[in-house]
Amino acid sequence: MSDARQPLTVHDLTRRKAQGERIVALTCYDALFARLLDESGVDVLLVGDSVNQVLAGAETTLSATLEQMIYHTKSVRRGSERALVICDMPFLTYQISREEAIKNCGRVLAETGCHGVKLEGGRPIAETVRALVAVGIPVMGHLGFTPQSVHALGGYRVQGRDKQAAERLKDDAKALEEAGAFAVVLELVPAPLASQITASLAIPTIGIGAGPACDGQVLVLHDLLGLNERFSAKFVKRYATLAEDVREAVKLYAAEEREVRYLVEEHSFPK
Ligand code: KIV
């Protein structure tokens, strides 16, 4: 069993897999939620570029910027003590050249204090992953549905359904492991395929819509809390209905202010 108070390192995740201990991951974009998740024992806080959709209201993750990710990752690091904090690298910050990838990922690591970065893609970016790992930057991979390729993939859909695509995914996962990635996110992958990939790797797989056999799971926090009502998917279980709670609380405040002017009495300063 791992020590519940010790800050986690990327090596703890591999150890967890070897010992059959599951990995609990959630997206996180700010210090306030980082504190709550850290106190609740979440192992990995992923500062996903989904922040661009969930908080900034964009249609896709494609317009997320390095500055935006640095801002949110710094905030998450300020709020967390134990969890491993991973920053999602935005579109075109690591694909253009290995030099740019090292410069941008290194900047993220140095400026935010996060523990690693996440990149989307398999064999085509394996040499970049190797170069990053060689300079001391821990890398988490991301395979299956990769949101930065949403247009190329023809929309938000399950990947690896036919034999050829399934073989490609298995090969991508191996390429990432061989290049030194410390974990791989599998998004929207059929459960049996995710199970085969998980069994073939020594590094952990973290699933999102990839079935129960992955070594851990990640969900978008705002989906789990029922704050992001506009998004629903088969793999999202809502554990709370906070959007409803927010509306109720704000309506109550508005009604009290309009009808009884509650601020005037007990919540004001007589002198
Ligand atoms: O951006 C994100 O939040 C992600 C997770 C959904 C894996 O990449």
Side-chain angles (χ1 to χ4, degrees), residues 113-164:
C114 75
H115 306 103
V117 296
K118 177 167 81 58
L119 313 184
E120 296 183 7
R123 192 164 286 284
I125 62 149
E127 286 316 308
T128 300
V129 172
R130 198 183 305 283
L132 290 168
V133 173
V135 297
I137 302 173
V139 178
M140 175 182 271
H142 186 159
L143 296 172
F145 175 74
T146 43
Q148 292 172 12
S149 305
V150 60
H151 300 306
L153 296 174
Y156 192 77
R157 55 180 62 174
V158 176
Q159 302 297 307
R161 278 194 152 140
D162 64 61
K163 198 164 180 315
Q164 202 184 2

Side-chain angles (χ1 to χ4, degrees), residues 6-247:
Q6 276 290 103
L8 288 167
T9 75
V10 292
H11 301 287
D12 290 317
L13 299 198
T14 324
R15 228 169 279 137
R16 287 271 186 100
K17 173 165 180 142
Q19 294 169 353
E21 276 181 58
R22 299 194 50 84
I23 297 160
V24 176
L26 278 173
T27 62
C28 190
Y29 313 130
D30 61 62
L32 189 148
F33 271 123
R35 197 167 58 244
L36 294 174
L37 302 190
D38 205 60
E39 287 167 359
S40 310
V42 175
D43 302 312
V44 180
L45 303 183
L46 172 64
V47 189
D49 56 359
S50 53
V51 66
N52 200 44
Q53 296 167 288
V54 179
L55 295 194
E59 200 52 43
T60 70
T61 60
L62 290 166
S63 55
T65 66
L66 199 56
E67 306 307 325
Q68 191 182 355
M69 296 311 297
I70 287 175
Y71 170 85
H72 288 287
T73 307
K74 270 188 187 170
S75 306
V76 170
R77 269 302 282 135
R78 283 189 207 116
S80 60
E81 287 175 11
R82 173 188 167 272
L84 199 69
V85 176
I86 305 300
C87 174
D88 222 354
M89 293 303 293
F91 183 53
L92 294 190
T93 60
Y94 56 94
Q95 295 97 333
I96 293 171
S97 71
R98 255 167 248 167
E99 289 71 21
E100 272 198 49
I102 292 175
K103 195 166 117 225
N104 291 329
C105 296
R107 184 176 161 209
V108 163
L109 217 68
E111 289 185 21
T112 69
C114 75
H115 306 103
V117 296
K118 177 167 81 58
L119 313 184
E120 296 183 7
R123 192 164 286 284
I125 62 149
E127 286 316 308
T128 300
V129 172
R130 198 183 305 283
L132 290 168
V133 173
V135 297
I137 302 173
V139 178
M140 175 182 271
H142 186 159
L143 296 172
F145 175 74
T146 43
Q148 292 172 12
S149 305
V150 60
H151 300 306
L153 296 174
Y156 192 77
R157 55 180 62 174
V158 176
Q159 302 297 307
R161 278 194 152 140
D162 64 61
K163 198 164 180 315
Q164 202 184 2
E167 288 308 316
R168 200 166 47 241
L169 267 184
K170 288 187 207 170
D171 178 62
D172 282 335
K174 266 283 162 218
L176 290 175
E177 176 170 70
E178 280 162 17
F182 69 87
V184 185
V185 169
L186 296 179
E187 180 164 356
L188 291 185
V189 173
L193 175 60
S195 173
Q196 284 173 33
I197 293 173
T198 300
S200 74
L201 301 178
I203 58 170
T205 58
I206 316 268
I208 173 163
C214 295
D215 300 298
Q217 297 291 327
V218 60
L219 275 182
V220 172
L221 175 68
H222 294 66
D223 297 341
L224 171 150
L225 294 178
L227 271 168
N228 189 17
E229 291 172 321
R230 293 190 181 176
F231 181 78
S232 66
K234 191 174 176 198
F235 60 85
V236 173
K237 179 170 171 187
R238 282 192 186 152
Y239 287 82
T241 49
L242 293 197
E244 266 173 52
D245 294 348
V246 169
R247 275 192 296 266

